């Protein structure tokens, strides 16, 4: 643009700047208003939806999981706070807190037996048995959600994936790669032998024994010297369902 | 679920490592606890008073998983019961064990209520009569182990609830109740 000298030129430039600013503010305001309006509509729609499908959300685990997915996509966490309209509307927060407490309970009760590592599927089964009289089913998805809320307590509840299975860890044991591989191998039969571990992973005998000893010390494994072939077997209660169904839970 | 007669076996009975004594302390404690409960439960429902370590006690082996308890394990579980007063060794070699699913004190209480229920407060009975007579039929005292019965009676004698006197042969000790 050609430079225009003089007072008039400076004044013109200042007016132009002011006008641009005004226009900009206007556009921004219109946009914000629009957004606010959209959000309000969205919120009311979501509320409407939740109100309409309250019973489905409460009773049907599949529906509940889809509802959560939908909320997550639009950046709403119905569990973020127990206050507010979600809790009032759905009682959904309480549901997960209750679940969380029961999960902690089960993990503690089975800890002497499985060393604080429990198969997610098994955990769900025990949970369902316990809530038998209660209305509504509990899905694995619900368990995972409740566990993720427990993290807020800093209590070291964590879900780890070993092979195809998910295990819930309630002790602060750090499992390294070797341990995870052994757990994965054990899923086939519920147990492993030192020979099998060495053969499968081409480890030295020391490495296999070391890893197995650690698992034993952590209470995650049990030895079995009773088989005919005389080879010591290491059983893992956390991957075999028969063992976790301790009757006295 | 696996059963022994009409007795429902717990899940852990089918999990092979429970038949091997566990080396890690916490795991072993849990294992011993489960076995103690199982042995007491089984003996109570089956009315078994004496367990021989070298005998074929049905709980000591599980053909389904092909496992049986070593002598060391049997002794460890029974010793745990002994240390809690729920069992007593009958010999120094620890080969036979008396199982007290009722403690002696509890057996004494059972005898007292049996006496009251049957109006025997001032009567005389022989020990054999208490164990197998018509009065005790259908009560827990029917078929009770003789050693346990005598121990309970002696406890009551100390408290002055009865007097035990010898008959002509050892088999017919008499009991005079005085409640």
């Amino acid at each position: 643009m050609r430079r225009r000298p003089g007072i008039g030129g400076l004044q013109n430039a200042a007016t132009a700047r002011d006008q641009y600013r005004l226009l900009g503010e206007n556009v921004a305001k219109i946009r914000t208003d629009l957004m606010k309006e959209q959000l309000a509509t969205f919120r009311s729609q979501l509320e409407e939806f939740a109100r309409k499908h309250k019973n489905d959300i409460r009773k049907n685990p599949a529906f509940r999981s889809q509802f959560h997915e939908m909320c997550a996509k639009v950046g709403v966490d119905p569990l973020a706070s127990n206050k507010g309209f979600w809790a009032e509307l759905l009682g959904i927060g309480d549901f997960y807190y209750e679940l969380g407490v029961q999960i902690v309970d089960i993990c503690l009760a089975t800890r002497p037996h499985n060393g604080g590592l429990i198969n997610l599927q098994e955990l769900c089964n025990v949970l369902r048995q316990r809530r038998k009289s209660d209305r509504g089913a509990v899905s694995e998805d619900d368990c995972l959600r409740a566990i993720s809320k427990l993290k807020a307590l800093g209590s070291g509840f964590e879900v780890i994936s070993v092979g195809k299975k998910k295990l819930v860890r309630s002790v602060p044991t750090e499992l390294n790669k070797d341990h995870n591989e052994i757990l994965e191998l054990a899923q086939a039969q519920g147990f492993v032998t030192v020979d099998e571990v060495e053969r499968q992973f081409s480890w030295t005998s020391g490495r296999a024994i070391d890893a197995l000893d650690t698992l034993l010390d952590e209470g995650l494994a049990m030895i079995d010297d009773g088989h005919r072939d005389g080879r010591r077997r290491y059983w893992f209660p956390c991957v075999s369902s028969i063992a976790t169904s301790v009757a006295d839970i | 679920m696996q059963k022994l007669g009409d007795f429902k076996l717990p899940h852990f009975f089918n999990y092979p490592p429970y038949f091997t004594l566990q080396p890690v302390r916490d795991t072993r404690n849990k294992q011993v606890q489960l076995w103690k409960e199982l042995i007491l439960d089984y003996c109570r429902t089956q009315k078994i008073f004496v367990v021989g370590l070298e005998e074929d006690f049905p709980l000591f082996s599980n053909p389904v998983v092909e496992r049986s308890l070593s002598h060391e394990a049997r002794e460890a579980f029974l010793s745990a019961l002994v240390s809690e007063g729920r069992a007593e060794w009958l010999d120094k070699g620890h080969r036979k064990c008396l199982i007290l699913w009722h403690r002696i004190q509890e057996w004494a209480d059972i005898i007292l209520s049996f006496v009251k229920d049957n109006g025997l407060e001032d009567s005389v009975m022989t020990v054999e009569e208490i164990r197998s007579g018509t009065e005790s039929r259908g009560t827990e005292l029917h078929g009770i182990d003789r050693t346990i019965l005598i121990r309970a009676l002696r406890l009551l004698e100390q408290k002055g609830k009865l007097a035990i006197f010898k008959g002509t042969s050892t088999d017919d000790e008499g009991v005079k109740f005085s409640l």
Side-chain angles (χ1 to χ4, degrees):
Chain A
M1 202 198 288
R2 195 166 66 89
R3 191 167 162 261
R4 299 174 60 189
I7 290 286
L10 284 175
Q11 275 171 342
N12 271 349
T15 339
R17 250 199 324 272
D18 274 354
Q19 271 170 353
Y20 281 135
R21 193 169 44 81
L22 256 167
L23 195 68
E25 269 170 12
N26 262 337
V27 171
K29 191 172 175 305
I30 290 168
R31 280 211 182 140
T32 335
D33 286 351
L34 209 67
M35 285 291 273
K36 270 186 190 152
E37 204 182 299
Q38 274 176 348
L39 262 174
T41 323
F42 169 74
R43 195 188 145 103
S44 70
Q45 293 278 348
L46 201 59
E47 273 182 58
E48 182 65 33
F49 178 85
R51 209 170 275 130
K52 225 187 205 162
H53 299 284
K54 188 171 162 179
N55 278 339
D56 288 322
I57 291 170
R58 270 198 196 152
K59 288 198 180 123
N60 183 346
F63 198 91
R64 190 157 56 229
S65 129
Q66 274 167 7
F67 176 70
H68 275 298
E69 211 172 291
M70 190 181 80
C71 288
K73 270 192 190 134
V74 296
V76 174
D77 183 1
L79 297 181
S81 160
N82 198 22
K83 289 176 192 129
F85 85 107
W86 291 110
E88 282 163 34
L89 206 57
L90 300 171
I92 207 168
D94 290 340
F95 171 76
Y96 285 101
Y97 295 133
E98 195 182 293
L99 223 53
V101 171
Q102 283 167 336
I103 287 172
V104 172
D105 223 32
I106 292 168
C107 285
L108 286 181
T110 55
R111 195 180 279 177
H113 177 79
N114 56 28
L117 206 55
I118 186 170
N119 186 352
L120 177 65
Q121 226 177 331
E122 198 58 33
L123 177 67
C124 282
N125 286 341
V126 180
L127 201 58
R128 281 186 203 119
Q129 270 173 32
R130 227 189 226 210
R131 299 171 59 91
K132 220 173 349 194
S133 57
D134 234 341
R135 68 276 102 105
V138 178
S139 69
E140 286 186 14
D141 183 75
D142 290 329
C143 286
L144 287 176
R145 252 169 240 291
I147 292 165
S148 75
K149 292 296 137 191
L150 289 176
K151 265 190 203 145
L153 300 173
S155 54
F157 272 78
E158 201 182 15
V159 180
I160 55 175
S161 294
V162 175
K164 281 180 196 145
K165 285 193 183 172
K166 285 203 172 72
L167 302 178
V168 179
R169 198 187 70 182
S170 61
V171 284
T173 320
E174 279 297 330
L175 294 179
N176 65 26
K177 200 164 150 287
D178 283 8
H179 303 143
N180 274 325
E181 277 175 330
I182 290 175
L183 281 175
E184 195 172 338
L185 180 64
Q187 280 174 23
Q189 298 169 287
F191 67 88
V192 298
T193 64
V194 176
D195 284 358
E196 273 171 10
V197 173
E198 286 169 20
R199 216 174 329 120
Q200 181 75 25
F201 305 125
S202 319
W203 289 353
T204 61
S205 157
R207 183 170 171 189
I209 290 172
D210 194 52
L212 286 169
D213 276 350
T214 311
L215 290 168
L216 212 57
D217 282 341
E218 296 293 347
L220 295 172
M222 294 177 83
I223 56 162
D224 165 29
D225 293 333
H227 193 260
R228 273 196 307 275
D229 64 14
R231 292 216 179 89
R232 174 170 286 189
R233 295 175 170 201
Y234 291 80
W235 289 82
F236 296 88
C238 55
V239 296
S240 37
S241 56
I242 179 173
T244 335
S245 327
V246 183
D248 57 344
I249 302 171
Chain B
M1 199 182 303
Q2 203 184 339
K3 283 189 175 184
L4 266 181
D6 55 354
F7 184 76
K8 242 170 101 184
L9 286 161
H11 286 284
F12 85 84
F13 195 68
N14 279 331
Y15 199 55
Y18 276 101
F19 284 83
T20 301
L21 270 181
Q22 294 302 312
V24 177
R25 206 188 71 221
D26 287 351
T27 320
R28 157 105 65 137
N29 287 347
K30 175 72 180 175
Q31 178 189 27
V32 170
Q33 185 62 33
L34 287 170
W35 275 102
K36 276 193 310 199
E37 285 163 15
L38 174 60
I39 293 171
L40 280 185
D41 260 8
Y42 183 74
C43 288
R44 177 169 28 236
T45 52
Q46 308 298 309
K47 293 211 154 216
I48 293 169
F49 294 92
V50 177
V51 172
L53 257 72
E54 276 134 39
E55 287 160 26
D56 276 335
F57 186 53
L59 292 183
F60 286 164
S61 53
N62 183 354
V64 174
V65 294
E66 298 180 321
R67 293 290 184 280
S68 55
L69 289 176
S70 65
H71 189 276
E72 191 195 358
R74 297 175 192 196
E75 192 172 338
F77 300 150
L78 290 172
S79 292
L81 283 174
V82 170
S83 70
E84 278 179 14
R86 305 313 298 253
E88 275 170 32
W89 294 112
L90 287 172
D91 56 337
K92 277 200 181 136
H94 291 190
R95 279 191 302 272
K96 277 190 178 302
C97 193
L98 192 66
I99 309 292
L100 297 169
W101 22 275
H102 286 315
R103 293 163 198 275
I104 297 294
Q105 177 60 53
E106 287 162 6
W107 280 115
D109 293 342
I110 292 170
I111 294 171
L112 284 185
S113 55
F114 162 75
V115 169
K116 282 176 193 153
D117 289 350
N118 289 280
L120 299 166
E121 279 92 340
D122 303 302
S123 312
V124 174
M125 281 182 95
T126 68
V127 172
E128 258 331 286
E129 253 184 310
I130 300 176
R131 288 185 62 218
S132 49
T134 42
E135 285 90 349
S136 69
R137 196 159 293 163
T139 71
E140 283 195 284
L141 291 176
H142 197 76
I144 184 179
D145 178 81
R146 198 180 159 84
T147 319
I148 295 179
L149 179 57
I150 299 275
R151 294 271 303 280
L153 290 172
R154 294 231 182 279
L155 185 70
L156 289 172
E157 189 180 34
Q158 278 169 22
K159 292 182 179 169
K161 308 267 188 195
L162 53 82
I164 303 174
F165 53 90
K166 281 249 174 214
T168 42
S169 82
T170 44
D171 259 6
D172 60 351
E173 276 160 302
V175 180
K176 165 92 174 77
F177 297 111
S178 50
L179 293 186

